[in-house]
Amino acid sequence: MAAMSLDKILQSQGFGSRKSCRAAVEQGLVRIGGQIAPDWSQTYSTEGLELTVGSVSIPFREQLYLAMNKPSGYECSSRPSHHPSVLSLLDDLCRNRNVQPVGRLDHDTTGLLLLSDDGAFIHRQSSPKHHVPKLYHARTARPVDAALVSAMLQGVQLHDEDGPLRAISCEQTGEHELDIVLEQGKYHQVKRMLAAAGNHCTALERVAIGRLYLKDLGLASGAWMHLLPEHRALLSPEALS
Ligand code: URA
């Protein structure tokens, strides 16, 4: 990994403008591997670098890959219109790095949301061409029956789509509950498909993306974490084949 000057390293990690990062070093607020850094122009190899600014310590991360347990009442937009943005639940370091949600969940949908500042990762996870399955748990207003499950699997025609949209799988899990797997992420897709099939979605949670399950991450509602390499492996094309 390339060596970089300390001011650039700090800026790349979200600690603010180059000017404010230089000022932090000059004030003796920055430690590298536990030692006060003497000079912002000094270069360091970023591999395995541990940085401390004031009371905040982080490992150098070239890119950010986050998972959040999205609560209801938040929008997946950086310019929300009616509810706060999911980005407001992150810390300043992540927000300063321009982390973006991978696809969108409705404001009232809960569950697994990925966020990243890696454009190629965002594209791979959200493009239907890459067939990343997303598992949703839906509650319905009226009881689920075999006709509903069959319609979701055969395909339902939504008024603004060229052809029918079908679920990759659809299983009844309770009188008013369904597990639905989709590979696309069209606007309100689960809710619109259930409505077109004659029912109404009253609650929706995304419980897995690829082979990454929310329940295995131990995230409380509204909490988020940095994905570990083993978590990212569960999202890779190899894990899906
Ligand atoms: N389908 C929906 O209807 N809403 C979501 O938030 C996600 C999938």
Side-chain angles (χ1 to χ4, degrees), residues 104-109 136 182 185-192 201 204 206:
R104 295 199 171 184
L105 292 177
D106 300 333
H107 75 87
D108 55 355
T109 300
Y136 294 91
L182 298 181
K186 308 238 182 216
Y187 182 65
H188 294 333
Q189 188 170 343
V190 172
K191 293 174 187 165
R192 289 195 301 150
C201 181
L204 189 61
R206 183 156 65 189

Side-chain angles (χ1 to χ4, degrees), residues 5-7 25-26 36-44:
S5 62
L6 182 55
D7 58 341
V25 178
E26 282 161 0
I36 291 186
D39 180 359
W40 53 258
S41 68
Q42 184 151 339
T43 58
Y44 295 87

